[in-house]
Amino acid sequence: MSAKAEAVQIQYPLRERRKRRTRAALIEAAVDLFSTKGYDDTTLEEVADQAGLHVQTLYRHFPSKPELAVAVDRQQIEEFRVAIEDPDRSDTTFEFWRERIILVTSGLKNETDGYQRFRALVLQQNRSPSIALRLHTVNDEYEDLLTASLAKDFRMDPAVDRLPRLVACMLVAGNRHAYQRWAHEGGFDLIEEVVAVADEVAELFRGYVVATGGLADRSASAAGA
């Protein structure tokens, strides 16, 4: 069972379930208003009102407007952390990253107006230094998690060997650039592009994956094919 499926089945206490529902309602309201009305023109009072909550409730969950603006990104990085650190995970980092970006990007495509809302949010985030700084922190966390996982695959010490960090940076930066280019220019299939970027990086460095039983045998075979 995947980490995501396990998370869905966790039976949280009633108070925790209410807290999660409240956060989800606030995030959904924020995404809707930020993408339609605009980040600068949306007030936190409006977000709370659309979620059917008092603005003081919003402040208990999100101390500032920029924090609310990156709430989806924070949620995704925490889900990513649980999944990539799952001790029962059997795929390589390259395989894991590929499936993860397909999952996230397909989720956007399948949402009602998901792509349009995402494009609007990306363009607005780029205009806000406070949001950009928080997103930079999120990207750093992705790089750290990928570095640790790649170091295991490569049988390297990330404190000494540079390669795991360099490859992690390529994966994260390449993915981010694809999203940014699509948001600003469009004209291509986003899922195909992010997968192509991930596959090109994997092709360059798959041969470094050390075969250790079930974890990397598939990658080692692919590298020798």
Side-chain angles (χ1 to χ4, degrees):
M1 182 183 296
S2 69
K4 184 175 182 180
E6 289 176 356
V8 170
Q9 294 189 14
I10 294 175
Q11 296 299 311
Y12 293 102
L14 178 59
R15 183 176 180 181
E16 179 66 19
R17 295 202 299 272
R18 287 175 176 169
K19 179 180 178 181
R20 287 172 175 269
R21 285 197 298 268
T22 298
R23 285 181 63 88
L26 290 167
I27 292 172
E28 178 61 27
V31 169
D32 185 47
L33 288 170
F34 290 163
S35 62
T36 55
K37 187 176 181 179
Y39 175 78
D40 292 333
D41 294 328
T42 299
T43 67
L44 294 181
E45 287 78 7
E46 289 173 321
V47 173
D49 184 64
Q50 177 150 323
L53 299 163
H54 194 279
V55 69
Q56 291 303 320
T57 301
L58 184 153
Y59 280 117
R60 284 200 293 271
H61 291 271
F62 304 103
S64 69
K65 192 175 177 182
E67 289 294 333
L68 179 58
V70 299
V72 172
D73 302 276
R74 294 292 335 163
Q75 181 175 296
Q76 289 179 346
I77 186 63
E78 292 311 317
E79 292 174 356
F80 184 87
R81 185 189 311 279
V82 170
I84 199 170
E85 292 181 346
D86 183 352
D88 296 326
R89 183 170 66 85
S90 60
D91 50 3
T92 67
T93 307
F94 292 127
E95 293 167 342
F96 173 84
W97 177 253
R98 189 181 198 275
E99 292 305 311
R100 195 74 187 180
I101 59 176
I102 290 175
L103 176 68
V104 172
T105 312
S106 298
L108 289 172
K109 185 176 183 179
N110 294 333
E111 290 178 5
T112 302
D113 298 324
Y115 268 1
Q116 290 79 2
R117 296 202 305 175
F118 177 68
R119 174 179 276 117
L121 290 174
V122 169
L123 296 177
Q124 292 177 65
Q125 289 170 345
N126 291 340
R127 294 194 293 267
S128 172
S130 58
I131 296 177
L133 178 61
R134 287 168 172 79
L135 290 176
H136 181 74
T137 300
V138 171
N139 286 332
D140 284 347
E141 292 182 42
Y142 278 114
E143 288 178 8
D144 289 343
L145 292 168
L146 285 169
T147 296
S149 184
L150 286 164
K152 292 179 181 178
D153 287 359
F154 296 170
R155 287 296 183 269
M156 294 181 178
D157 181 356
V160 177
D161 300 299
R162 300 185 183 91
L163 188 62
R165 172 71 61 180
L166 294 174
V167 177
C169 289
M170 290 179 69
L171 290 171
V172 174
N175 191 66
R176 180 179 183 278
H177 177 72
Y179 279 133
Q180 290 284 334
R181 188 162 66 87
W182 176 85
H184 285 273
E185 303 172 9
F188 58 89
D189 186 284
L190 181 57
I191 296 177
E192 289 183 2
E193 182 65 16
V194 294
V195 169
V197 171
D199 286 347
E200 286 190 23
V201 177
E203 185 63 28
L204 287 171
F205 299 101
R206 188 181 287 115
Y208 286 90
V209 177
V210 178
T212 55
L215 173 63
D217 284 345
R218 294 192 300 278
S219 288
S221 298

